[in-house]
Amino acid sequence: MKILKIAALGAVLAAQFTFAQFKQTPLPYAYNALEGSIDAQTMEIHYSKHGAAYAANLNKAIAGTPQEKQTLLQILSETSKLTPAIRNNAGGHYNHELFWTILTPEKNTQPSAKLAKAINETFGSLDAFKEKMSKAGADRFGSGWAWLSVDKNGKLFVSSTPNQDNPLMDIVEEKGTPVLGIDVWEHAYYLKYQNKRADYLSAIWNVLNWKEVSKRYEDALSKK
Ligand code: MN3
């Protein structure tokens, strides 16, 4: 009897302390905060179902593997050696955690002077950059992401990846540190925009958090 009790207690403790390294950070605004550009129902399902599933499935996929003791950046940097479940869910978790932060209900945020200068030098103008970014998202066949990243020389570039891949992964052609990522999976826009992905891609600029993108840009540069 006593042994059974101890075993039961052990199981409870083990369940409590099961390594669950990755979890979602709270959404920094209400589900309905981006209404007009992204509707509340889409945000709720996207964050509380899709986003939550990537974190939970990542923890499941790494359970009992060396990745359990690694950071997300370490895992992403060696995805070529890892299982599809780890690749997809590590990417999914990273990408969505970034995505929530680069959106905001705050109106008219602007790129910092430093980022604005780099955008102008690289793409010609802010509008030309937006066009290039929207095109990367529109041209992505099936599901994936459009990215603005900083390469190893500190230069900005636009790229697109399929599924939940991202520029931090060792398997992508164009590697860098993402500072802005736009989710073009249908789950990100279909309830409001249906097949009109281009309309979603033009509306997203209304809720873009340029303060956060600028901060990520300057952080990425400082690590070069
Ligand atoms: Mn998504």
Side-chain angles (χ1 to χ4, degrees):
M1 190 66 191
K2 201 169 188 181
I3 290 168
L4 273 180
K5 264 191 192 162
I6 290 167
L9 183 66
V12 168
L13 286 175
Q16 234 167 21
F17 293 102
T18 298
F19 214 86
Q21 193 185 356
F22 298 108
K23 48 180 189 228
Q24 286 186 289
T25 47
L27 195 66
Y29 37 79
Y31 291 134
N32 66 0
L34 310 177
E35 275 285 357
S37 298
I38 306 178
D39 61 289
Q41 195 186 8
T42 295
M43 284 307 294
E44 180 166 4
I45 297 171
H46 201 177
Y47 178 85
S48 72
K49 306 289 186 208
H50 295 277
Y54 292 119
N57 291 334
L58 173 58
N59 291 325
K60 260 185 234 161
I62 61 174
T65 75
Q67 282 63 52
E68 221 174 18
K69 295 190 175 62
Q70 290 185 335
T71 65
L72 194 50
L73 292 182
Q74 283 173 320
I75 294 173
L76 294 171
S77 72
E78 52 187 52
T79 42
S80 62
K81 296 181 227 150
L82 305 174
T83 63
I86 298 180
R87 169 178 171 172
N88 292 333
N89 291 297
H93 182 55
Y94 178 91
N95 298 350
H96 287 84
E97 288 288 294
L98 181 146
F99 186 62
W100 315 128
T101 68
I102 60 92
L103 301 175
T104 180
E106 195 183 330
K107 296 286 168 219
N108 302 316
T109 65
Q110 298 295 326
S112 67
K114 210 169 175 178
L115 177 57
K117 186 167 176 279
I119 286 175
N120 288 335
E121 282 171 3
T122 312
F123 306 105
S125 67
L126 185 59
D127 282 345
F129 157 67
K130 287 182 185 176
E131 208 174 293
K132 187 160 188 175
M133 188 79 182
S134 295
K135 188 173 181 331
D139 289 351
R140 164 55 46 201
F141 184 78
S143 298
W145 290 75
W147 301 102
L148 173 67
S149 307
V150 177
D151 73 12
K152 61 180 189 322
N153 301 314
K155 296 278 177 234
L156 289 173
F157 68 97
V158 166
S159 68
S160 166
T161 55
N163 305 315
Q164 294 296 354
D165 289 353
N166 68 45
L168 291 165
M169 292 181 173
D170 61 345
I171 37 93
V172 301
E173 240 170 76
E174 296 169 279
K175 293 180 193 62
T177 304
V179 297
L180 162 56
I182 300 180
D183 190 343
V184 297
W185 283 57
E186 283 186 346
H187 68 226
Y189 64 86
Y190 206 84
L191 294 178
K192 182 176 169 71
Y193 295 96
Q194 292 85 45
N195 59 321
K196 299 184 213 73
R197 187 191 284 182
D199 290 358
Y200 157 72
L201 283 167
S202 70
I204 209 159
W205 301 112
N206 300 330
V207 288
L208 201 87
N209 187 349
W210 281 109
K211 281 186 197 165
E212 175 68 20
V213 176
S214 302
K215 183 178 148 290
R216 286 176 181 267
Y217 170 67
E218 283 165 37
D219 283 355
L221 279 189
S222 72
K223 287 181 188 123
K224 295 291 156 204

Short mmCIF file of all heavy atoms in Angstrom, two decimals, residues 93-155:
data_model
loop_
_atom_site.label_atom_id
_atom_site.label_comp_id
_atom_site.label_asym_id
_atom_site.label_seq_id
_atom_site.Cartn_x
_atom_site.Cartn_y
_atom_site.Cartn_z
N HIS A 93 6.72 27.46 -33.73
CA HIS A 93 6.74 28.18 -32.45
C HIS A 93 7.51 29.50 -32.59
O HIS A 93 7.01 30.56 -32.23
CB HIS A 93 7.37 27.30 -31.36
CG HIS A 93 7.38 27.95 -30.01
ND1 HIS A 93 6.25 28.44 -29.40
CD2 HIS A 93 8.41 28.21 -29.15
CE1 HIS A 93 6.57 28.96 -28.23
NE2 HIS A 93 7.87 28.85 -28.06
N TYR A 94 8.70 29.44 -33.17
CA TYR A 94 9.49 30.66 -33.34
C TYR A 94 8.73 31.70 -34.19
O TYR A 94 8.61 32.87 -33.83
CB TYR A 94 10.85 30.35 -34.00
CG TYR A 94 11.66 31.60 -34.22
CD1 TYR A 94 12.55 32.05 -33.25
CD2 TYR A 94 11.49 32.38 -35.37
CE1 TYR A 94 13.25 33.23 -33.42
CE2 TYR A 94 12.18 33.56 -35.55
CZ TYR A 94 13.07 33.98 -34.59
OH TYR A 94 13.75 35.16 -34.76
N ASN A 95 8.21 31.24 -35.34
CA ASN A 95 7.59 32.16 -36.29
C ASN A 95 6.38 32.88 -35.68
O ASN A 95 6.20 34.08 -35.87
CB ASN A 95 7.16 31.40 -37.55
CG ASN A 95 8.34 30.78 -38.28
OD1 ASN A 95 9.49 31.07 -37.96
ND2 ASN A 95 8.07 29.92 -39.26
N HIS A 96 5.56 32.12 -34.96
CA HIS A 96 4.36 32.73 -34.39
C HIS A 96 4.70 33.66 -33.22
O HIS A 96 4.10 34.74 -33.10
CB HIS A 96 3.34 31.67 -34.00
CG HIS A 96 2.69 31.07 -35.21
ND1 HIS A 96 3.26 30.04 -35.93
CD2 HIS A 96 1.55 31.42 -35.88
CE1 HIS A 96 2.49 29.78 -36.98
NE2 HIS A 96 1.45 30.58 -36.97
N GLU A 97 5.67 33.28 -32.40
CA GLU A 97 6.07 34.16 -31.30
C GLU A 97 6.56 35.50 -31.86
O GLU A 97 6.32 36.55 -31.28
CB GLU A 97 7.16 33.49 -30.45
CG GLU A 97 6.64 32.34 -29.59
CD GLU A 97 5.79 32.83 -28.42
OE1 GLU A 97 6.33 33.49 -27.54
OE2 GLU A 97 4.58 32.55 -28.41
N LEU A 98 7.25 35.45 -32.99
CA LEU A 98 7.69 36.69 -33.64
C LEU A 98 6.49 37.45 -34.22
O LEU A 98 6.35 38.66 -34.04
CB LEU A 98 8.70 36.36 -34.75
CG LEU A 98 9.29 37.56 -35.53
CD1 LEU A 98 10.74 37.27 -35.93
CD2 LEU A 98 8.49 37.90 -36.77
N PHE A 99 5.61 36.71 -34.88
CA PHE A 99 4.47 37.32 -35.58
C PHE A 99 3.59 38.15 -34.65
O PHE A 99 3.22 39.28 -34.98
CB PHE A 99 3.66 36.21 -36.25
CG PHE A 99 2.53 36.69 -37.13
CD1 PHE A 99 2.77 37.46 -38.25
CD2 PHE A 99 1.20 36.33 -36.84
CE1 PHE A 99 1.73 37.88 -39.08
CE2 PHE A 99 0.16 36.74 -37.66
CZ PHE A 99 0.42 37.52 -38.77
N TRP A 100 3.28 37.61 -33.45
CA TRP A 100 2.38 38.36 -32.54
C TRP A 100 3.01 39.71 -32.19
O TRP A 100 2.31 40.71 -32.01
CB TRP A 100 2.10 37.59 -31.25
CG TRP A 100 1.76 36.14 -31.41
CD1 TRP A 100 2.35 35.08 -30.76
CD2 TRP A 100 0.77 35.55 -32.26
NE1 TRP A 100 1.79 33.89 -31.17
CE2 TRP A 100 0.83 34.14 -32.09
CE3 TRP A 100 -0.17 36.07 -33.17
CZ2 TRP A 100 0.00 33.24 -32.78
CZ3 TRP A 100 -0.99 35.19 -33.87
CH2 TRP A 100 -0.90 33.81 -33.67
N THR A 101 4.33 39.75 -32.05
CA THR A 101 4.97 40.98 -31.58
C THR A 101 5.09 42.04 -32.68
O THR A 101 5.23 43.22 -32.35
CB THR A 101 6.40 40.74 -31.05
OG1 THR A 101 7.25 40.37 -32.14
CG2 THR A 101 6.42 39.67 -29.97
N ILE A 102 5.06 41.63 -33.94
CA ILE A 102 5.26 42.64 -34.98
C ILE A 102 3.92 43.21 -35.45
O ILE A 102 3.87 43.97 -36.41
CB ILE A 102 6.12 42.12 -36.16
CG1 ILE A 102 5.52 40.91 -36.86
CG2 ILE A 102 7.54 41.79 -35.69
CD1 ILE A 102 4.64 41.24 -38.02
N LEU A 103 2.85 42.85 -34.76
CA LEU A 103 1.53 43.46 -35.00
C LEU A 103 1.18 44.32 -33.79
O LEU A 103 1.63 44.04 -32.67
CB LEU A 103 0.47 42.38 -35.18
CG LEU A 103 0.70 41.40 -36.33
CD1 LEU A 103 -0.35 40.30 -36.32
CD2 LEU A 103 0.71 42.11 -37.68
N THR A 104 0.39 45.35 -34.01
CA THR A 104 -0.01 46.22 -32.89
C THR A 104 -1.27 47.00 -33.24
O THR A 104 -1.47 47.37 -34.41
CB THR A 104 1.11 47.23 -32.54
OG1 THR A 104 0.67 48.04 -31.44
CG2 THR A 104 1.45 48.14 -33.70
N PRO A 105 -2.11 47.28 -32.23
CA PRO A 105 -3.26 48.17 -32.47
C PRO A 105 -2.83 49.64 -32.53
O PRO A 105 -3.60 50.49 -32.96
CB PRO A 105 -4.17 47.91 -31.27
CG PRO A 105 -3.31 47.30 -30.22
CD PRO A 105 -2.13 46.67 -30.89
N GLU A 106 -1.60 49.93 -32.10
CA GLU A 106 -1.13 51.32 -32.10
C GLU A 106 -1.04 51.83 -33.54
O GLU A 106 -0.46 51.16 -34.40
CB GLU A 106 0.25 51.39 -31.44
CG GLU A 106 0.67 52.78 -31.06
CD GLU A 106 2.09 52.82 -30.47
OE1 GLU A 106 2.50 51.82 -29.86
OE2 GLU A 106 2.76 53.83 -30.65
N LYS A 107 -1.59 53.01 -33.76
CA LYS A 107 -1.63 53.53 -35.13
C LYS A 107 -0.32 54.25 -35.50
O LYS A 107 0.29 54.89 -34.65
CB LYS A 107 -2.78 54.54 -35.29
CG LYS A 107 -4.16 53.91 -35.09
CD LYS A 107 -4.55 53.05 -36.30
CE LYS A 107 -5.78 52.20 -35.98
NZ LYS A 107 -5.72 50.85 -36.53
N ASN A 108 0.01 54.16 -36.78
CA ASN A 108 1.09 54.97 -37.35
C ASN A 108 2.45 54.84 -36.66
O ASN A 108 3.14 55.82 -36.46
CB ASN A 108 0.70 56.46 -37.38
CG ASN A 108 -0.57 56.68 -38.17
OD1 ASN A 108 -0.73 56.10 -39.24
ND2 ASN A 108 -1.49 57.45 -37.63
N THR A 109 2.81 53.63 -36.27
CA THR A 109 4.19 53.46 -35.80
C THR A 109 5.09 53.59 -37.03
O THR A 109 4.65 53.35 -38.15
CB THR A 109 4.39 52.09 -35.12
OG1 THR A 109 4.20 51.06 -36.09
CG2 THR A 109 3.44 51.89 -33.95
N GLN A 110 6.32 54.01 -36.80
CA GLN A 110 7.24 54.28 -37.92
C GLN A 110 8.55 53.53 -37.74
O GLN A 110 8.97 53.31 -36.61
CB GLN A 110 7.56 55.78 -37.98
CG GLN A 110 6.37 56.69 -38.24
CD GLN A 110 5.73 56.48 -39.60
OE1 GLN A 110 6.42 56.18 -40.57
NE2 GLN A 110 4.41 56.60 -39.67
N PRO A 111 9.20 53.18 -38.85
CA PRO A 111 10.55 52.59 -38.72
C PRO A 111 11.48 53.62 -38.06
O PRO A 111 11.33 54.82 -38.30
CB PRO A 111 10.99 52.35 -40.17
CG PRO A 111 9.76 52.45 -41.00
CD PRO A 111 8.79 53.31 -40.26
N SER A 112 12.42 53.16 -37.26
CA SER A 112 13.42 54.06 -36.67
C SER A 112 14.23 54.70 -37.81
O SER A 112 14.23 54.19 -38.94
CB SER A 112 14.35 53.27 -35.75
OG SER A 112 15.13 52.38 -36.52
N ALA A 113 14.94 55.78 -37.48
CA ALA A 113 15.74 56.47 -38.51
C ALA A 113 16.73 55.50 -39.15
O ALA A 113 16.93 55.48 -40.37
CB ALA A 113 16.47 57.65 -37.89
N LYS A 114 17.33 54.65 -38.31
CA LYS A 114 18.34 53.71 -38.78
C LYS A 114 17.73 52.67 -39.75
O LYS A 114 18.29 52.37 -40.80
CB LYS A 114 18.92 52.99 -37.57
CG LYS A 114 20.33 52.55 -37.72
CD LYS A 114 20.86 52.12 -36.36
CE LYS A 114 22.25 51.55 -36.51
NZ LYS A 114 22.85 51.15 -35.24
N LEU A 115 16.56 52.14 -39.35
CA LEU A 115 15.90 51.14 -40.21
C LEU A 115 15.38 51.79 -41.49
O LEU A 115 15.51 51.23 -42.58
CB LEU A 115 14.76 50.45 -39.45
CG LEU A 115 13.94 49.43 -40.26
CD1 LEU A 115 14.82 48.32 -40.85
CD2 LEU A 115 12.84 48.81 -39.39
N ALA A 116 14.81 53.01 -41.35
CA ALA A 116 14.29 53.71 -42.53
C ALA A 116 15.41 53.93 -43.56
O ALA A 116 15.23 53.72 -44.76
CB ALA A 116 13.67 55.04 -42.12
N LYS A 117 16.59 54.30 -43.05
CA LYS A 117 17.74 54.55 -43.93
C LYS A 117 18.14 53.25 -44.64
O LYS A 117 18.36 53.24 -45.86
CB LYS A 117 18.90 55.09 -43.08
CG LYS A 117 20.12 55.51 -43.84
CD LYS A 117 21.07 56.32 -42.93
CE LYS A 117 22.36 56.68 -43.63
NZ LYS A 117 23.36 55.61 -43.66
N ALA A 118 18.20 52.16 -43.88
CA ALA A 118 18.59 50.87 -44.48
C ALA A 118 17.55 50.40 -45.50
O ALA A 118 17.91 49.87 -46.56
CB ALA A 118 18.77 49.82 -43.38
N ILE A 119 16.28 50.62 -45.21
CA ILE A 119 15.22 50.23 -46.16
C ILE A 119 15.35 51.05 -47.45
O ILE A 119 15.28 50.51 -48.55
CB ILE A 119 13.81 50.39 -45.52
CG1 ILE A 119 13.58 49.27 -44.50
CG2 ILE A 119 12.71 50.40 -46.58
CD1 ILE A 119 12.28 49.36 -43.72
N ASN A 120 15.56 52.36 -47.30
CA ASN A 120 15.71 53.21 -48.49
C ASN A 120 16.92 52.80 -49.31
O ASN A 120 16.85 52.74 -50.54
CB ASN A 120 15.82 54.69 -48.08
CG ASN A 120 14.48 55.23 -47.60
OD1 ASN A 120 13.42 54.70 -47.96
ND2 ASN A 120 14.52 56.25 -46.76
N GLU A 121 18.03 52.53 -48.63
CA GLU A 121 19.25 52.15 -49.36
C GLU A 121 19.10 50.81 -50.07
O GLU A 121 19.60 50.61 -51.16
CB GLU A 121 20.44 52.07 -48.38
CG GLU A 121 20.97 53.45 -48.02
CD GLU A 121 22.00 53.42 -46.90
OE1 GLU A 121 22.35 52.31 -46.42
OE2 GLU A 121 22.44 54.51 -46.49
N THR A 122 18.38 49.88 -49.42
CA THR A 122 18.28 48.53 -49.98
C THR A 122 17.18 48.41 -51.04
O THR A 122 17.35 47.75 -52.06
CB THR A 122 18.00 47.51 -48.85
OG1 THR A 122 18.92 47.75 -47.79
CG2 THR A 122 18.14 46.08 -49.35
N PHE A 123 16.03 49.02 -50.76
CA PHE A 123 14.86 48.79 -51.62
C PHE A 123 14.42 50.03 -52.40
O PHE A 123 13.52 49.94 -53.23
CB PHE A 123 13.68 48.28 -50.78
CG PHE A 123 14.02 47.06 -49.95
CD1 PHE A 123 14.21 47.15 -48.57
CD2 PHE A 123 14.17 45.81 -50.56
CE1 PHE A 123 14.54 46.04 -47.81
CE2 PHE A 123 14.50 44.69 -49.81
CZ PHE A 123 14.69 44.79 -48.43
N GLY A 124 14.99 51.19 -52.10
CA GLY A 124 14.63 52.43 -52.82
C GLY A 124 13.70 53.30 -52.00
O GLY A 124 13.89 54.50 -51.92
N SER A 125 12.67 52.69 -51.38
CA SER A 125 11.73 53.46 -50.56
C SER A 125 10.95 52.48 -49.70
O SER A 125 10.97 51.27 -49.94
CB SER A 125 10.75 54.25 -51.44
OG SER A 125 9.91 53.33 -52.13
N LEU A 126 10.22 53.03 -48.71
CA LEU A 126 9.41 52.18 -47.85
C LEU A 126 8.30 51.51 -48.67
O LEU A 126 8.02 50.31 -48.50
CB LEU A 126 8.79 53.02 -46.71
CG LEU A 126 8.00 52.24 -45.66
CD1 LEU A 126 8.86 51.19 -44.96
CD2 LEU A 126 7.41 53.20 -44.61
N ASP A 127 7.72 52.25 -49.60
CA ASP A 127 6.66 51.67 -50.44
C ASP A 127 7.20 50.55 -51.32
O ASP A 127 6.54 49.53 -51.51
CB ASP A 127 5.99 52.75 -51.30
CG ASP A 127 5.00 53.58 -50.48
OD1 ASP A 127 4.63 53.13 -49.37
OD2 ASP A 127 4.62 54.67 -50.95
N ALA A 128 8.40 50.75 -51.86
CA ALA A 128 8.99 49.71 -52.71
C ALA A 128 9.28 48.46 -51.88
O ALA A 128 9.10 47.33 -52.34
CB ALA A 128 10.27 50.23 -53.36
N PHE A 129 9.71 48.69 -50.63
CA PHE A 129 9.93 47.53 -49.75
C PHE A 129 8.63 46.79 -49.50
O PHE A 129 8.56 45.56 -49.61
CB PHE A 129 10.55 47.96 -48.41
CG PHE A 129 10.29 46.97 -47.32
CD1 PHE A 129 10.87 45.70 -47.37
CD2 PHE A 129 9.40 47.24 -46.29
CE1 PHE A 129 10.58 44.74 -46.40
CE2 PHE A 129 9.11 46.30 -45.32
CZ PHE A 129 9.69 45.05 -45.38
N LYS A 130 7.55 47.54 -49.15
CA LYS A 130 6.26 46.90 -48.85
C LYS A 130 5.79 46.08 -50.05
O LYS A 130 5.25 44.98 -49.90
CB LYS A 130 5.21 47.96 -48.51
CG LYS A 130 5.40 48.59 -47.14
CD LYS A 130 4.26 49.58 -46.89
CE LYS A 130 4.44 50.33 -45.60
NZ LYS A 130 3.39 51.35 -45.42
N GLU A 131 5.98 46.63 -51.22
CA GLU A 131 5.57 45.94 -52.44
C GLU A 131 6.34 44.63 -52.61
O GLU A 131 5.77 43.58 -52.93
CB GLU A 131 5.84 46.87 -53.63
CG GLU A 131 4.92 46.66 -54.81
CD GLU A 131 5.16 47.72 -55.87
OE1 GLU A 131 4.86 48.91 -55.60
OE2 GLU A 131 5.71 47.36 -56.92
N LYS A 132 7.63 44.69 -52.34
CA LYS A 132 8.47 43.50 -52.50
C LYS A 132 8.08 42.42 -51.47
O LYS A 132 8.02 41.23 -51.78
CB LYS A 132 9.95 43.90 -52.30
CG LYS A 132 10.89 42.77 -52.61
CD LYS A 132 12.29 43.23 -52.90
CE LYS A 132 13.05 41.99 -53.38
NZ LYS A 132 14.38 42.20 -53.81
N MET A 133 7.81 42.88 -50.26
CA MET A 133 7.43 41.97 -49.18
C MET A 133 6.07 41.33 -49.50
O MET A 133 5.89 40.11 -49.35
CB MET A 133 7.37 42.79 -47.89
CG MET A 133 7.17 42.02 -46.64
SD MET A 133 8.70 41.23 -46.07
CE MET A 133 8.01 40.39 -44.64
N SER A 134 5.11 42.15 -49.94
CA SER A 134 3.78 41.63 -50.27
C SER A 134 3.87 40.64 -51.43
O SER A 134 3.17 39.62 -51.44
CB SER A 134 2.82 42.76 -50.65
OG SER A 134 2.60 43.59 -49.53
N LYS A 135 4.75 40.92 -52.37
CA LYS A 135 4.91 40.02 -53.52
C LYS A 135 5.49 38.68 -53.06
O LYS A 135 5.08 37.62 -53.51
CB LYS A 135 5.80 40.68 -54.58
CG LYS A 135 5.85 39.89 -55.88
CD LYS A 135 6.60 40.64 -56.97
CE LYS A 135 6.67 39.91 -58.31
NZ LYS A 135 6.66 38.48 -58.32
N ALA A 136 6.45 38.74 -52.13
CA ALA A 136 7.05 37.51 -51.60
C ALA A 136 5.96 36.65 -50.94
O ALA A 136 5.94 35.42 -51.09
CB ALA A 136 8.15 37.83 -50.60
N GLY A 137 5.04 37.32 -50.23
CA GLY A 137 3.95 36.59 -49.58
C GLY A 137 2.93 36.07 -50.59
O GLY A 137 2.45 34.94 -50.49
N ALA A 138 2.61 36.91 -51.58
CA ALA A 138 1.61 36.52 -52.58
C ALA A 138 2.11 35.38 -53.46
O ALA A 138 1.35 34.50 -53.86
CB ALA A 138 1.25 37.73 -53.44
N ASP A 139 3.40 35.39 -53.76
CA ASP A 139 3.98 34.39 -54.66
C ASP A 139 4.29 33.06 -53.97
O ASP A 139 4.62 32.08 -54.65
CB ASP A 139 5.29 34.91 -55.28
CG ASP A 139 5.01 36.01 -56.31
OD1 ASP A 139 3.83 36.23 -56.64
OD2 ASP A 139 5.99 36.64 -56.77
N ARG A 140 4.24 33.04 -52.66
CA ARG A 140 4.51 31.77 -51.95
C ARG A 140 3.38 30.80 -52.26
O ARG A 140 2.23 31.01 -51.89
CB ARG A 140 4.62 32.06 -50.44
CG ARG A 140 4.52 30.88 -49.49
CD ARG A 140 5.49 29.75 -49.73
NE ARG A 140 6.87 30.15 -49.95
CZ ARG A 140 7.77 29.36 -50.56
NH1 ARG A 140 7.42 28.17 -51.01
NH2 ARG A 140 9.01 29.78 -50.72
N PHE A 141 3.67 29.73 -52.97
CA PHE A 141 2.65 28.75 -53.34
C PHE A 141 2.33 27.89 -52.12
O PHE A 141 3.23 27.37 -51.47
CB PHE A 141 3.14 27.87 -54.49
CG PHE A 141 2.09 26.91 -54.98
CD1 PHE A 141 1.06 27.35 -55.80
CD2 PHE A 141 2.13 25.58 -54.59
CE1 PHE A 141 0.08 26.48 -56.23
CE2 PHE A 141 1.14 24.69 -55.03
CZ PHE A 141 0.12 25.15 -55.84
N GLY A 142 1.04 27.76 -51.80
CA GLY A 142 0.66 26.99 -50.62
C GLY A 142 0.92 27.79 -49.36
O GLY A 142 0.71 29.00 -49.33
N SER A 143 1.42 27.13 -48.32
CA SER A 143 1.57 27.78 -47.02
C SER A 143 3.02 28.17 -46.76
O SER A 143 3.94 27.48 -47.18
CB SER A 143 1.15 26.81 -45.91
OG SER A 143 -0.21 26.47 -46.07
N GLY A 144 3.19 29.29 -46.06
CA GLY A 144 4.54 29.69 -45.72
C GLY A 144 4.58 31.10 -45.17
O GLY A 144 3.59 31.60 -44.65
N TRP A 145 5.74 31.71 -45.31
CA TRP A 145 6.00 33.02 -44.70
C TRP A 145 6.77 33.92 -45.66
O TRP A 145 7.56 33.43 -46.48
CB TRP A 145 6.85 32.84 -43.43
CG TRP A 145 6.09 32.19 -42.31
CD1 TRP A 145 5.76 30.86 -42.22
CD2 TRP A 145 5.55 32.82 -41.16
NE1 TRP A 145 5.04 30.65 -41.07
CE2 TRP A 145 4.91 31.83 -40.39
CE3 TRP A 145 5.56 34.14 -40.68
CZ2 TRP A 145 4.27 32.11 -39.18
CZ3 TRP A 145 4.93 34.42 -39.48
CH2 TRP A 145 4.29 33.42 -38.73
N ALA A 146 6.57 35.25 -45.49
CA ALA A 146 7.41 36.24 -46.15
C ALA A 146 8.24 36.90 -45.04
O ALA A 146 7.72 37.13 -43.94
CB ALA A 146 6.56 37.29 -46.85
N TRP A 147 9.51 37.16 -45.35
CA TRP A 147 10.44 37.65 -44.32
C TRP A 147 11.22 38.88 -44.74
O TRP A 147 11.63 38.99 -45.90
CB TRP A 147 11.50 36.57 -44.02
CG TRP A 147 10.95 35.27 -43.54
CD1 TRP A 147 10.80 34.12 -44.29
CD2 TRP A 147 10.48 34.96 -42.23
NE1 TRP A 147 10.27 33.13 -43.50
CE2 TRP A 147 10.06 33.61 -42.25
CE3 TRP A 147 10.38 35.69 -41.05
CZ2 TRP A 147 9.53 32.98 -41.12
CZ3 TRP A 147 9.85 35.08 -39.93
CH2 TRP A 147 9.44 33.73 -39.97
N LEU A 148 11.48 39.75 -43.76
CA LEU A 148 12.53 40.75 -43.88
C LEU A 148 13.59 40.34 -42.86
O LEU A 148 13.27 40.16 -41.68
CB LEU A 148 12.02 42.17 -43.55
CG LEU A 148 13.11 43.25 -43.50
CD1 LEU A 148 13.71 43.50 -44.89
CD2 LEU A 148 12.54 44.57 -42.92
N SER A 149 14.81 40.15 -43.33
CA SER A 149 15.87 39.67 -42.44
C SER A 149 17.14 40.47 -42.63
O SER A 149 17.30 41.20 -43.62
CB SER A 149 16.19 38.20 -42.74
OG SER A 149 15.03 37.41 -42.71
N VAL A 150 18.05 40.27 -41.68
CA VAL A 150 19.39 40.86 -41.75
C VAL A 150 20.37 39.73 -42.04
O VAL A 150 20.38 38.73 -41.32
CB VAL A 150 19.75 41.52 -40.39
CG1 VAL A 150 21.17 42.08 -40.41
CG2 VAL A 150 18.75 42.62 -40.05
N ASP A 151 21.19 39.88 -43.09
CA ASP A 151 22.13 38.80 -43.43
C ASP A 151 23.42 38.92 -42.62
O ASP A 151 23.56 39.82 -41.78
CB ASP A 151 22.39 38.74 -44.95
CG ASP A 151 23.26 39.89 -45.44
OD1 ASP A 151 23.86 40.63 -44.62
OD2 ASP A 151 23.36 40.06 -46.68
N LYS A 152 24.39 38.05 -42.91
CA LYS A 152 25.59 38.02 -42.06
C LYS A 152 26.46 39.27 -42.21
O LYS A 152 27.29 39.55 -41.36
CB LYS A 152 26.41 36.73 -42.29
CG LYS A 152 26.94 36.54 -43.70
CD LYS A 152 27.72 35.23 -43.74
CE LYS A 152 28.50 34.96 -45.00
NZ LYS A 152 27.93 35.34 -46.29
N ASN A 153 26.21 40.03 -43.28
CA ASN A 153 26.95 41.28 -43.45
C ASN A 153 26.17 42.50 -42.94
O ASN A 153 26.58 43.64 -43.16
CB ASN A 153 27.28 41.49 -44.93
CG ASN A 153 28.12 40.34 -45.47
OD1 ASN A 153 29.08 39.92 -44.83
ND2 ASN A 153 27.74 39.81 -46.63
N GLY A 154 25.03 42.23 -42.30
CA GLY A 154 24.24 43.34 -41.76
C GLY A 154 23.31 43.98 -42.78
O GLY A 154 22.73 45.02 -42.52
N LYS A 155 23.17 43.32 -43.95
CA LYS A 155 22.30 43.88 -45.00
C LYS A 155 20.89 43.30 -44.90
O LYS A 155 20.71 42.12 -44.58
CB LYS A 155 22.86 43.52 -46.39
CG LYS A 155 24.22 44.15 -46.67
CD LYS A 155 24.07 45.59 -47.13
CE LYS A 155 25.40 46.28 -47.35
NZ LYS A 155 25.52 47.54 -46.59
#
